[in-house]
Amino acid sequence: MTETDSEKTFGPSAIATPANAVTIIRLLLSPVAFALIINEPTSWPTVAMWFVLSTTDGVDGHIARRQGTTRSGAFLDPLADKFLALGGMISMVIAGVFWWVPVAIIVVRELVISVFRSYWLRQGLAVPASKGGKIKTFLQLAAVGWVTLPWTADIEWLWQGTLWAAVFMTVVSGVQYLLDGASATTDQGEMP
């Protein structure tokens, strides 16, 4: 047995794992970040909370890769990412910082892809996340992060540019996701 095999202590069906615990903590603390954003979008407590929640996504992923990835983690981790990113952007709209149109485009894309993904999961097909999807999540979190940081909050072109780059990547990765899903189903002899 190799060292890597011995470190993988959780099988694919495990639920109570350290990686899932980190993900659930992220989900539970996200509403605190949203309240901070709505109350005072730019402040050191807000940026600290946003930074911790945004960066711990890498922590749960690292733990999962070391101890064994699980189906529950594969579901919970993207859910936590979407909840944090969408909630942060919607909170910025409520606070009067972000314009609602780019955020609405992102929300609609996420809903369409979630319905698409759920449909194909029920058919027994999982369409994996792409690098474009990871980039769009990073840009969404960064757009909110630039506003929370007192040093960059007044640099409107920075956070506006990041938000619109997030919209672009959100649409592009959504189209790619649909094409990949259709291609995968066609490859398996099923009609999309």
Side-chain angles (χ1 to χ4, degrees), residues 32-143:
V32 175
F34 306 154
L36 286 169
I37 290 168
I38 291 168
N39 184 49
E40 190 174 1
T42 305
S43 71
W44 289 111
T46 305
V47 77
M49 177 65 82
W50 191 255
F51 179 79
V52 167
L53 291 176
S54 296
T55 57
T56 49
D57 178 41
V59 173
D60 59 12
H62 175 74
I63 294 170
R65 284 186 294 278
R66 283 188 60 106
Q67 296 186 337
T69 57
T70 64
R71 286 187 289 276
S72 58
F75 170 77
L76 286 172
D77 184 55
L79 176 67
D81 292 344
K82 279 184 185 19
F83 184 64
L84 181 63
L86 293 177
M89 290 184 295
I90 291 167
S91 297
M92 285 294 181
V93 170
I94 293 168
V97 179
F98 284 0
W99 187 33
W100 68 270
V101 170
V103 176
I105 292 168
I106 291 170
V107 169
V108 167
R109 180 271 192 200
E110 295 298 346
L111 290 173
V112 167
I113 295 303
S114 293
V115 168
F116 174 82
R117 188 176 192 189
S118 296
Y119 172 78
W120 287 113
L121 276 174
R122 284 194 299 274
Q123 307 303 316
L125 176 70
V127 182
S130 66
K131 281 192 178 189
K134 293 177 193 221
I135 292 168
K136 67 99 181 157
T137 300
F138 172 79
L139 290 170
Q140 291 169 0
L141 295 172

